[in-house]
Amino acid sequence: MSNVRVRFAPSPTGDLHIGGVRTALFNWLFAKNKDGKFIVRIEDTDEVRSTEASVKVILDAMKWLNLSWDEGPGNEVSKYAPYYQMERKNRGIYQKYADELVAKGFAYPCYCTPEEVDEMRKKAQTDKLPPKYDGKCRNFMFEQRKQKEAEGRKAVIRFKMPKTGTVVLNDLIRGRVEFDNSLLDDFVIMKTNGVPTYNFACVIDDYLMEMTHILRGDDHISNTPRQIQIYSALGWKIPEFAHMPMILGHDGTRLSKRHGHTSVLEYRKEGYLQEALINYLALLGWSTEDSQQVFTIEEMIQKFSIERCGVSPSTFDPAKLLWLNGEKIRSKTLGQVYMLFIDWLKYTNNEKLIDGWDIELLKKAMALEHDKIKLLKDIPPLVDFFFTKDVDYKEEAVRKVLLSDKSRDNAKLVLTESVSRLNNQDNFSSDALEQYARDLALERNIKTGQVFHPIRVAISGRTQGPSLFHMMELMGKEEVVRRIGIAINKFF
């Protein structure tokens, strides 16, 4: 099936959102699995809302996700170019086929104003009929059209839908779907300004660009019977259609900003890895027979099939995405995580976060916390205490571990003993330090935690962190003793 051609055709009216990425991903995986071509086309016919800035954001998001396209902006093939619909409109591509449909009697000029069409729909609703255009201009004679033009009325072009019968769609995901023609109105294919509507432009482009399969969200399924009628009227082969289920939020409603981030690049800013987001989105509407959860890109390409896509909506679960991101980070070497972290700092303009930090110390500190990193943005707060001269003592940690009525005397004793003893500790390895702490607890007849916790708070300012003795070894004797001394002077 190396002749497979599929496309992702975003409208550049904003950021690239989760639903759009899932559509792009499924098309990309399908093309890769079939050794076909993945095409990106920019559907910018919304003249008011389409912007070059949005085009850039969308393409940047695609590049970050490594969803590279075989054809499209920046990679044009002359046979199919251009890949922007407004450029195609300016070349007269859509007008040519609109004129052909009018000449063949499949379309007609309509002179009704938007207000008149709105009244028709309101009347139909009042009469308990489908709220649609009533076909007033459908059978106008030549003289009637000339009269409307003489009145200064501008015409849209409407496609003449059959009034009876059904349109049958054999959907690759949903199976057989039938649409009653009587419920569909004569829809606009060209606006008065010569700009094509979505349903018309995408049919023309999909045919001319030789698309074999149309994989898209099921919010487009109501458009499909109209598009099939256009294919039929022009005598063109109809591509295969597959409509993927929508993505819902936790409350069962369609995913939106109230459920959290919907823009792809917001996830990049948060410190998600592109491969984690791709892996997670692949699970929204598709599964393998063995319900595999974690994939490499190569595994996804090899195993992807439309037949394994479901018909039920998928629920976006931020907790699962976060878990998966942590899994991906843990699967990487320390060097890989470090480079991803540096890239994240540059992307978010946060390089100042590590100004003055010793890079080798940073890498070693990251190694201690590797298993705790879920997001790249977690790294600075996990290790920043290694790089400060003035320890940021957390109020709750000090109150609970150093200054409570139960802990104060013991904490003072442990820290005072530690300053003198650790200063004379020749072996400052983690194993030797742990033995020191356990010996001190045994000697003073106290629990090991009563030794461990005061030292941790004294040198890091917090109750949570890496393994205490590995942390002490990494800091070194001089710095550990210095920090314990500061804590004694500050709190006792």
Side-chain angles (χ1 to χ4, degrees):
M1 295 183 70
S2 59
N3 64 333
V4 162
R5 291 176 60 83
V6 294
R7 47 74 167 175
F8 174 55
S11 177
T13 57
D15 293 345
L16 180 57
H17 288 178
I18 289 298
V21 176
R22 199 270 305 265
T23 297
L25 172 62
F26 280 27
N27 277 277
W28 186 85
L29 289 172
F30 184 76
K32 295 295 182 184
N33 178 268
K34 303 297 184 185
D35 195 25
K37 300 293 185 183
F38 173 63
I39 293 91
V40 170
R41 182 175 71 229
I42 304 298
E43 299 195 337
D44 55 349
T45 55
D46 186 335
E47 298 169 281
V48 175
R49 298 168 59 217
S50 294
T51 66
E52 277 300 315
S54 289
V55 172
K56 184 179 185 307
V57 167
I58 290 168
L59 297 182
D60 284 350
M62 295 279 287
K63 290 172 185 175
W64 174 59
L65 294 169
N66 287 336
L67 296 179
S68 56
W69 49 97
D70 299 293
E71 300 170 23
N75 190 21
E76 302 207 347
V77 175
S78 58
K79 178 180 178 181
Y80 304 109
Y83 293 87
Y84 288 76
Q85 286 189 330
M86 286 305 288
E87 288 185 40
R88 298 173 69 79
K89 175 260 179 187
N90 292 337
R91 296 190 183 188
I93 292 173
Y94 307 115
Q95 191 64 56
K96 170 187 173 183
Y97 292 102
D99 291 344
E100 181 179 333
L101 288 172
V102 171
K104 291 181 175 179
F106 288 109
Y108 59 92
C110 171
Y111 302 90
C112 298
T113 65
E115 293 76 19
E116 289 171 337
V117 173
D118 190 47
E119 283 301 315
M120 292 175 194
R121 290 178 174 148
K122 287 179 179 177
K123 183 178 184 304
Q125 283 182 307
T126 302
D127 296 339
K128 298 186 177 180
L129 296 171
K132 61 181 187 176
Y133 174 70
D134 66 7
K136 179 179 178 180
C137 302
R138 181 178 175 120
N139 297 311
F140 269 8
M141 303 300 288
F142 177 77
E143 293 77 10
Q144 291 172 294
R145 291 175 182 169
K146 294 297 288 183
Q147 181 181 342
K148 291 294 184 183
E149 290 166 8
E151 294 171 4
R153 292 219 182 191
K154 292 184 177 180
V156 299
I157 304 296
R158 288 185 181 273
F159 185 82
K160 192 181 290 185
M161 284 291 290
K163 292 186 176 182
T164 59
T166 59
V167 175
V168 176
L169 165 66
N170 290 309
D171 193 277
L172 295 175
I173 294 175
R174 297 172 174 275
R176 183 182 175 91
V177 184
E178 295 188 9
F179 303 90
D180 186 346
N181 286 331
S182 67
L183 300 178
L184 304 173
D185 59 0
D186 293 352
F187 59 97
V188 176
I189 60 173
M190 295 287 280
K191 303 173 191 176
T192 56
N193 61 359
V195 174
T197 61
Y198 164 77
N199 277 318
F200 186 56
C202 78
V203 169
I204 303 304
D205 290 340
D206 287 341
Y207 174 77
L208 295 178
M209 293 182 177
E210 300 184 30
M211 300 302 159
T212 59
H213 298 75
I214 308 300
L215 282 55
R216 58 190 181 186
D218 64 5
D219 53 328
H220 283 291
I221 199 164
S222 62
N223 293 318
T224 309
R226 296 176 174 87
Q227 293 172 12
I228 287 175
Q229 289 288 2
I230 295 173
Y231 278 107
S232 298
L234 290 168
W236 292 345
K237 181 180 178 181
I238 300 168
E240 298 270 16
F241 285 93
H243 291 88
M244 297 169 282
M246 69 174 62
I247 302 174
L248 305 179
H250 59 82
D251 57 359
T253 60
R254 188 168 182 176
L255 191 68
S256 66
K257 288 183 179 179
R258 69 177 177 277
H259 299 114
H261 299 313
T262 55
S263 171
V264 171
L265 292 179
E266 287 299 318
Y267 287 93
R268 186 179 186 185
K269 290 176 185 175
E270 286 288 300
Y272 284 89
L273 307 191
Q274 61 85 16
E275 62 202 83
L277 188 58
I278 288 292
N279 189 156
Y280 180 65
L281 290 178
L283 301 174
L284 295 180
W286 171 72
S287 64
T288 58
E289 289 186 13
D290 59 356
S291 299
Q292 183 176 343
Q293 297 294 297
V294 182
F295 296 84
T296 63
I297 293 296
E298 292 74 21
E299 286 175 323
M300 275 190 280
I301 291 171
Q302 180 187 356
K303 297 184 178 185
F304 185 80
S305 72
I306 287 296
E307 291 74 23
R308 293 293 306 172
C309 292
V311 298
S312 300
S314 303
T315 300
F316 189 88
D317 182 357
K320 185 170 181 179
L321 172 59
L322 184 61
W323 165 81
L324 188 54
N325 203 66
E327 290 290 305
K328 293 291 186 179
I329 288 176
R330 282 188 288 277
S331 72
K332 295 189 175 299
T333 66
L334 180 62
Q336 290 172 325
V337 177
Y338 173 75
M339 292 309 301
L340 287 166
F341 175 57
I342 296 302
D343 288 344
W344 175 81
L345 288 174
K346 291 176 181 177
Y347 177 72
T348 56
N349 294 315
N350 274 315
E351 291 165 287
K352 62 182 181 297
L353 284 176
I354 63 169
D355 276 355
W357 289 15
D358 181 285
I359 296 305
E360 290 308 310
L361 178 58
L362 170 59
K363 290 178 180 179
K364 292 175 182 177
M366 285 174 58
L368 294 182
E369 293 288 59
H370 192 174
D371 287 347
K372 293 181 185 175
I373 301 169
K374 292 183 178 179
L375 299 168
L376 295 174
K377 75 173 184 178
D378 293 342
I379 294 173
L382 283 172
V383 302
D384 57 2
F385 64 88
F386 280 101
F387 305 96
T388 181
K389 287 297 179 186
D390 300 313
V391 179
D392 177 19
Y393 291 101
K394 304 301 181 186
E395 183 179 344
E396 176 67 13
V398 171
R399 184 185 61 78
K400 181 179 179 181
V401 177
L402 301 184
L403 298 183
S404 73
D405 292 339
K406 291 177 63 176
S407 66
R408 183 182 181 90
D409 290 343
N410 179 74
K412 182 178 180 181
L413 171 67
V414 167
L415 296 181
T416 303
E417 290 277 347
S418 294
V419 163
S420 63
R421 294 192 187 193
L422 290 175
N423 210 27
N424 298 314
Q425 178 90 8
D426 292 329
N427 186 344
F428 219 72
S429 68
S430 60
D431 289 342
L433 290 168
E434 182 175 358
Q435 189 60 54
Y436 153 76
R438 292 187 182 281
D439 289 346
L440 179 58
L442 187 62
E443 180 183 326
R444 294 298 181 181
N445 195 29
I446 57 178
K447 296 178 180 178
T448 54
Q450 291 176 288
V451 177
F452 296 177
H453 299 325
I455 295 175
R456 178 182 291 280
V457 172
I459 66 176
S460 70
R462 57 189 74 174
T463 57
Q464 302 293 323
S467 160
L468 173 61
F469 306 107
H470 287 92
M471 179 170 73
M472 293 172 70
E473 179 183 347
L474 185 54
M475 279 188 182
K477 180 197 296 187
E478 182 179 340
E479 183 65 10
V480 167
V481 171
R482 186 186 76 84
R483 291 189 183 202
I484 294 175
I486 289 174
I488 293 171
N489 292 332
K490 186 176 180 68
F491 300 112
F492 303 106

